[in-house]
Each structure stands twice: as C-alpha cells, then as structure tokens.
Amino acid sequence: MAKYTKAIVERIVEFVKTDTFTIEEICAKVGISRRLWYQWRDDHPEFVQALEDAERDRMEMFVLEAKKSLLKKIKGYDAKETKVTTIPSGKMEADGKTPIPKIKEQVTTTKHVAPDTGAIIFVLTNGDPDHWKNRQNAELTGANGEPLVKPARVLTKKEAKEFMKQLEDEV
C-alpha cells in the first residue's frame, strides 16, 4: 500500500488540473488503488481541498480556452495546410515489408476560415440580450391590446332560424 505523501498528492493534483482523467486512470498513473484514493479522501481534508482547488483551476482553464476559441470563431482565422506527395525510395523499414517513402513535393497553403455566424449570434444574444434576441416573438394582440381577430358574434334564436332556412333553400 502506497504511503500518503505530498509528492503523490502533487502528481494527482497536476493530473486533475491538466485533463479530464477518471479517478481510475489517475490511480493507475500514480500507483495507488481506488480504495486508497477514497481512504485518503476520507482521512485527509487537505487532500479533498487540493482536489477541489485543482478542479476549479481546470474549469478556469477550460473557460479561458473556450473564450479563445470563441474569439477565433468570431473573427475568423488563417489555417496552414500542408500537402505532401511521396514516391517509393526503394528502401525498406526494419521489418523488411514496409517501403520508406521519399518526399517528392511538399506544398503549404494558407486558407482563411471565415467568421462563424452562429458564434457571432451566440455572443450577441448572450452578451447584449436587450438588443439581440435569438427567439421569435409571437404577437398575440393587436394595437392597444385589441384582439387580432374580432370574436364572432353569437346569433339570436331568430337569426339562427333565418340562417338555417337560407341554407335549406340553397340546397
């Protein structure tokens, strides 16, 4: 059983800060069991605090990266693309079966990626919601709160009988 040391805790904290490893993956990397992880968590409040701080730092890093990515999407950006054409060199890898390729031509081009309309709409609707609403507004009333369609008038018995007589006469 591994001994609880500051060095192991620091390694665990670095794994938690830098990526989204599972507890099992972290335990395997530092050479402890899951049971020991939970035992340390129960016995050492400073371990719990270090994990919480690391998770908070990781989330701050994720938010920062998301903001950078969103900014690229809003502004657009240039991306380099390299296309390599190879030909067989006549030489073989150590296995004797795989040919080693020889570079015939290497062309690098720069492509511009246009701003993303969806990202722009996202920023405007969330950053300035008073002026940018990404939803439809269904108007259910007309001017001054009047109904858009005036309700039908209810016929009197006499009017209904006359109307029915007209319909019968037409048939």
Side-chain angles (χ1 to χ4, degrees), residues 8-28:
I8 291 177
V9 172
E10 286 174 357
R11 285 186 61 210
I12 290 172
V13 164
E14 279 308 306
F15 285 125
V16 171
K17 272 186 185 181
T18 59
D19 207 335
T20 54
F21 293 111
T22 64
I23 292 172
E24 196 165 325
E25 290 171 329
I26 294 172
C27 289

Side-chain angles (χ1 to χ4, degrees), residues 150-156 159:
K150 300 219 182 231
R153 184 175 65 80
V154 177
L155 299 176
T156 64
E159 291 172 329

Side-chain angles (χ1 to χ4, degrees), residues 40-69:
W40 288 357
R41 195 186 65 182
D42 293 341
D43 296 344
H44 301 280
E46 69 278 5
F47 181 63
V48 173
Q49 186 62 49
L51 291 174
E52 288 173 358
D53 292 347
E55 288 170 359
R56 188 188 63 251
D57 291 348
R58 181 185 67 221
M59 187 51 70
E60 287 174 5
M61 186 260 303
F62 285 171
V63 168
L64 181 62
E65 289 300 317
K67 286 179 180 180
K68 287 180 191 175
S69 297

Side-chain angles (χ1 to χ4, degrees), residues 20-131:
T20 54
F21 293 111
T22 64
I23 292 172
E24 196 165 325
E25 290 171 329
I26 294 172
C27 289
K29 289 179 179 290
V30 298
I32 64 171
S33 68
R34 279 179 67 96
R35 189 176 63 66
L36 192 56
W37 170 287
Y38 289 109
Q39 183 181 340
W40 288 357
R41 195 186 65 182
D42 293 341
D43 296 344
H44 301 280
E46 69 278 5
F47 181 63
V48 173
Q49 186 62 49
L51 291 174
E52 288 173 358
D53 292 347
E55 288 170 359
R56 188 188 63 251
D57 291 348
R58 181 185 67 221
M59 187 51 70
E60 287 174 5
M61 186 260 303
F62 285 171
V63 168
L64 181 62
E65 289 300 317
K67 286 179 180 180
K68 287 180 191 175
S69 297
L70 185 58
L71 184 61
K72 276 179 77 174
K73 291 284 235 172
I74 291 168
K75 288 182 167 183
Y77 57 95
D78 291 333
K80 291 190 187 267
E81 189 175 278
T82 303
K83 183 177 180 181
V84 178
T85 308
T86 61
I87 56 173
S89 66
K91 297 178 183 177
M92 299 299 248
E93 292 279 349
D95 64 7
K97 298 177 183 176
T98 310
I100 298 175
K102 179 180 177 184
I103 296 176
K104 178 182 176 186
E105 182 181 22
Q106 183 171 337
V107 179
T108 302
T109 57
T110 301
K111 291 187 176 184
H112 181 71
V113 178
D116 184 337
T117 306
I120 293 168
I121 291 170
F122 172 82
V123 169
L124 291 174
T125 55
N126 289 291
D128 190 8
D130 294 334
H131 295 98

